[in-house]
Amino acid sequence: MLGISEARRPALETAESGTGENTAGSRLGVHIALFVTGCATFVNLYVTQPLLPQFREIFHASELMVSLTVSAPVLAVALAAPLVGLLADALGRKRVIVAAMLGLFLPTLLAATATDLHQLIFWRFLQGLFIPGIIAVAMAYISEESPRGTVGSTMATYVTGTVVGGFSGRFIAGLCATHYDWRLTFIVIGAITLAGSLATWWLLPRSMKFVRQIGTTASLASLRLHLKNPQLLATYAIGFNVLFCQVGSFTYINFYLADKPFLLGPAALGAIFTVYLIGAVITPVSGVILDRIGYRRTLRIAVGMIVAGILLTLIRSLPVIIAGLTLASTGVFACQAAASSYVGKAAGRARSSAAGLYVAFYYCGGGFGSILPGLFWSQAGWVGCVAFILCMQAVILVLAGISWKD
């Protein structure tokens, strides 16, 4: 019910358009394409984070309200991801990725037309609806098409692209808001998204190992199997926790650094996200480490980095805070590489729907991560946020220790 015969596979593979065969000779092209895909997607997702203190003044709104410009697309990703996973298991990989990237382009541009906070939140939510068609399907593509023993390094290449995109979006937003207008941010980001979609269409080889899931019954059956899989459930919870902590820390650190004694403006806050570029260097290394020492050991090291980095941000010295954010974000990227790679290992079949569920839990964590720490911020400021984030890290270690197998 979940698969098709080998004899029928070649005919179905021809449905995937592409520019080259996914063989050993095209591995470099695959890595470049996946890097571009990740970059052009994540340049959108967290773009408003360095603008939050400015939005607080422009729209005369609270920290919690303006943080909805971050949580709205993240929660939209969580809502759409399971459906996108089912769609990709029926239609294929590359066509869904490219169509979703082209769809993301439109609400990105329309966000520049927003006249109030509610309109901006609405367009941000629409942006989020298209993003799962890229990230969930890219994860499935990597799990299926990567030669044995290279899934970790290939996934790390994709995650590196997301790291560079995440930094670039925030940095561009900070510069535009400081020297021009915050609306220009979305025009520039929209152009990058369009260029990235065309590059992905041109560079990404067609799938060679995709097996179509025929019919709604088979697709729903795959979802039921995933939700009964203890290893996948643990991985979904770990993903929820990872992005919860990442978004929570990098959302409320902006208010912490915008207030006394730091008083940083939008451009400086955008530049703080340069720490993401360290992650771009470290993440490919973490992929190699992942392939060598296994999932659980890699995760333990990564969580240790997160804890140490978050604790450093409590020292009221800007260089030390930047060092702490660098260490913590690098740990998060390593956690993401480990968890997203483990989805394909634990799922076996119907990897797009499995990845779709992972993305749903992961970004649901990100959505709550931009909201719940705000309750601790209102009571105890940044110290309260840090305490909450540190408590969450224990959950990651317990779940991986109980459920993951190398």
Side-chain angles (χ1 to χ4, degrees), residues 24-381:
S26 68
R27 294 312 303 165
L28 178 60
V30 171
H31 279 251
I32 294 173
L34 290 170
F35 177 90
V36 170
T37 300
C39 185
T41 304
F42 279 78
V43 76
N44 289 273
L45 193 55
Y46 305 111
V47 67
T48 60
Q49 277 185 329
L51 306 179
L52 294 179
Q54 190 177 79
F55 285 165
R56 180 175 56 180
E57 304 302 322
I58 292 173
F59 298 118
H60 305 288
S62 67
E63 291 87 352
L64 187 58
M65 282 301 299
V66 296
S67 72
L68 292 178
T69 62
V70 177
S71 59
V74 173
L75 289 175
V77 171
L79 290 173
L83 297 177
V84 168
L86 293 175
L87 184 67
D89 277 339
L91 296 180
R93 308 299 187 221
K94 180 176 178 177
R95 64 174 59 179
V96 174
I97 292 173
V98 174
M101 293 182 75
L102 289 171
L104 176 59
F105 163 69
L106 184 58
T108 300
L109 283 184
L110 290 174
T113 68
T115 58
D116 57 42
L117 183 59
H118 295 93
Q119 288 183 19
L120 180 59
I121 292 170
F122 173 76
W123 293 124
R124 293 284 288 155
F125 182 84
L126 285 188
Q127 281 184 289
L129 292 179
F130 287 99
I131 290 176
I134 309 164
I135 53 181
V137 185
M139 287 169 57
Y141 182 97
I142 292 167
S143 296
E144 290 173 349
E145 303 300 322
S146 300
R148 185 179 298 273
T150 67
V151 174
S153 57
T154 306
M155 187 68 75
T157 298
Y158 168 73
V159 174
T160 301
T162 70
V163 171
V164 174
F167 159 74
S168 300
R170 294 167 169 108
F171 187 71
I172 290 169
L175 288 179
C176 289
T178 299
H179 300 291
Y180 301 99
D181 183 81
W182 66 266
R183 300 175 192 280
L184 180 63
T185 298
F186 291 99
I187 298 173
V188 174
I189 297 300
I192 293 173
T193 305
L194 179 60
S197 64
L198 297 176
T200 300
W201 172 78
W202 180 257
L203 294 172
L204 189 67
R206 66 184 175 92
S207 297
M208 300 298 293
K209 301 177 183 178
F210 167 66
V211 178
R212 189 187 303 274
Q213 303 298 300
I214 301 176
T216 305
T217 301
S219 298
L220 293 177
S222 68
L223 282 182
R224 288 194 294 269
L225 287 177
H226 297 329
L227 292 174
K228 293 179 181 179
N229 186 330
Q231 292 186 57
L232 277 177
L233 289 176
T235 307
Y236 296 156
I238 291 169
F240 177 98
N241 201 347
V242 167
L243 197 62
F244 182 98
C245 298
Q246 173 79 337
V247 172
S249 59
F250 276 89
T251 294
Y252 289 90
I253 195 72
N254 287 281
F255 299 115
Y256 178 52
L257 295 177
D259 293 337
K260 294 180 180 180
F262 306 106
L263 299 174
L264 299 187
L269 291 174
I272 289 294
F273 291 97
T274 305
V275 302
Y276 269 52
L277 297 183
I278 304 298
V281 176
I282 296 298
T283 303
V285 178
S286 71
V288 175
I289 295 172
L290 178 62
D291 288 331
R292 290 183 179 178
I293 70 174
Y295 297 93
R296 288 190 293 181
R297 291 181 182 177
T298 302
L299 192 73
R300 291 190 195 111
I301 294 171
V303 170
M305 296 171 69
I306 294 172
V307 170
I310 290 296
L311 286 174
L312 284 176
T313 65
L314 293 175
I315 299 175
R316 296 174 81 81
S317 165
L318 189 58
V320 175
I321 291 172
I322 293 173
L325 290 174
T326 302
L327 188 61
S329 61
T330 302
V332 166
F333 299 139
C335 281
Q336 165 67 340
S340 56
S341 298
Y342 199 83
V343 172
K345 171 184 171 65
R349 295 182 176 182
R351 289 187 175 95
S352 273
S353 56
L357 284 173
Y358 173 81
V359 171
F361 280 91
Y362 182 76
Y363 284 98
C364 188
F368 283 104
S370 65
I371 297 172
L372 294 183
L375 303 178
F376 290 84
W377 170 271
S378 63
Q379 297 298 318

